[in-house]
């Protein structure tokens, strides 16, 4: 199992550009999450998907959209990037049989200039 | 709402020193509590967990006890190693049903550096 994979690992955007961060898991997990990590602020939830076909806003959803393409894939889109979106983005998933543990991807480091 | 507060870092220790990273929380009901570790350049990994009051989570020499009376879940290790250098996050999950079931609330993270 590859676990949770994310692409790209690094990205630099100019203000106003758009991009999609990809996340996939091969563990047959139902629930998937997108977080952003900023210095001194821990991880904050952007959006989550409790199951295929459903998505919900988290703590900091403004400026982002998500798509739960199928059970494996959960993408995060920035339609018009802003410098405030410079961050490290983590995708995570949770096993229905082990709801106490989230499995995290390696992260995408995004810089918006 | 739910919140987690960790001690300010960074923490710098010599090898074999005793480690404590404080964590306190605010939550309604009876949350589950976690410590996650993030090694340089990697995602977060679950280090240990406790799901009810007085539970002690332990893993790799690390321990934390769920103290409901003080709303705390402090991380301890008796003798740290250089390989323990990482960022440590305290987190809670509210034990509510529905779609909020898996959501985690994180503390701000504590950077630990261990020198030989």
């Amino acid at each position: 199992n590859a676990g949770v994979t994310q692409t790209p690992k690094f990205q630099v955007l100019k203000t106003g550009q758009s991009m999609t961060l990809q996340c996939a898991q091969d563990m047959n997990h139902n629930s998937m999450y997108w977080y952003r990590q900023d210095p001194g602020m821990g991880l904050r939830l952007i959006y989550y998907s409790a199951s295929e076909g459903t998505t919900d806003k988290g703590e900091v959803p403004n400026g982002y959209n998500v798509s739960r393409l199928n059970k494996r894939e959960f993408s995060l889109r920035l339609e018009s990037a802003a410098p405030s979106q410079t961050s490290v983005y983590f995708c995570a998933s949770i096993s229905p049989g082990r709801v106490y543990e989230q499995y995290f991807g390696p992260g995408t480091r995004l810089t918006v200039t | 709402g739910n919140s987690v507060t960790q001690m300010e870092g960074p923490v710098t220790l010599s090898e074999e020193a005793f480690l404590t990273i404080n964590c306190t929380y605010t939550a309604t009901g009876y949350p589950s509590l976690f410590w996650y570790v993030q090694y340089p350049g990697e995602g977060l990994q679950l280090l240990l967990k406790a799901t009810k009051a007085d539970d002690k989570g332990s893993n790799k020499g690390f321990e934390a006890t769920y103290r409901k009376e003080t709303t705390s879940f402090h991380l301890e290790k008796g003798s740290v190693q250089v390989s323990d250098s990482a960022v440590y996050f305290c987190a809670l999950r509210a034990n509510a049903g529905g779609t909020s079931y898996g959501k985690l609330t994180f503390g701000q993270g504590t950077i630990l550096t261990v020198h030989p």
Side-chain angles (χ1 to χ4, degrees):
Chain A
N1 283 351
V4 180
T5 57
Q6 291 183 235
T7 55
K9 284 190 175 2
F10 301 95
Q11 183 71 49
V12 178
L13 292 178
K14 293 189 187 320
T15 297
Q17 288 184 318
S18 62
M19 79 161 293
T20 299
L21 281 64
Q22 307 287 353
C23 173
Q25 52 87 12
D26 61 1
M27 298 174 283
N28 202 35
H29 290 173
N30 290 327
S31 300
M32 298 182 72
Y33 305 81
W34 275 106
Y35 294 91
R36 58 178 289 172
Q37 182 182 25
D38 301 296
M41 301 188 73
L43 276 75
R44 293 180 292 168
L45 183 65
I46 304 171
Y47 270 93
Y48 66 100
S49 171
S51 61
E52 186 180 355
T54 68
T55 61
D56 287 284
K57 294 178 180 179
E59 185 184 354
V60 289
N62 291 345
Y64 305 94
N65 284 302
V66 290
S67 295
R68 183 73 183 268
L69 303 170
N70 47 55
K71 192 171 186 179
R72 289 187 64 247
E73 299 171 288
F74 187 39
S75 62
L76 179 72
R77 183 159 178 84
L78 287 69
E79 290 291 352
S80 178
S84 61
Q85 293 178 305
T86 294
S87 188
V88 182
Y89 292 85
F90 288 99
C91 178
S93 67
I94 196 165
S95 166
R98 292 171 60 92
V99 294
Y100 299 111
E101 180 171 359
Q102 287 198 4
Y103 294 82
F104 284 82
T108 295
R109 185 173 294 275
L110 174 67
T111 302
V112 183
T113 61
Chain B
N2 299 330
S3 66
V4 176
T5 302
Q6 292 181 230
M7 68 184 287
E8 293 287 333
V11 174
T12 302
L13 296 172
S14 297
E15 208 164 25
E16 299 184 3
F18 184 85
L19 168 71
T20 299
I21 301 178
N22 290 340
C23 171
T24 56
Y25 68 90
T26 302
T28 55
Y30 300 89
S32 296
L33 302 173
F34 307 85
W35 277 100
Y36 278 81
V37 58
Q38 183 182 29
Y39 297 105
E42 298 183 11
L44 280 71
Q45 304 171 27
L46 180 65
L47 180 60
L48 53 84
K49 67 179 186 290
T51 58
K52 59 183 187 297
D54 300 325
D55 266 3
K56 178 186 282 189
S58 61
N59 186 26
K60 299 181 182 179
F62 291 89
E63 292 184 340
T65 301
Y66 189 145
R67 301 284 187 204
K68 186 154 181 66
E69 64 276 13
T70 54
T71 62
S72 64
F73 192 54
H74 305 321
L75 182 69
E76 296 181 336
K77 187 175 185 182
S79 177
V80 293
Q81 306 300 311
V82 172
S83 57
D84 293 327
S85 297
V87 184
Y88 292 81
F89 292 92
C90 187
L92 71 80
R93 181 178 64 80
N95 282 330
T99 58
S100 65
Y101 192 54
K103 288 162 58 179
L104 291 172
T105 300
F106 286 88
Q108 72 269 37
T110 301
I111 300 171
L112 171 66
T113 303
V114 181
H115 292 298

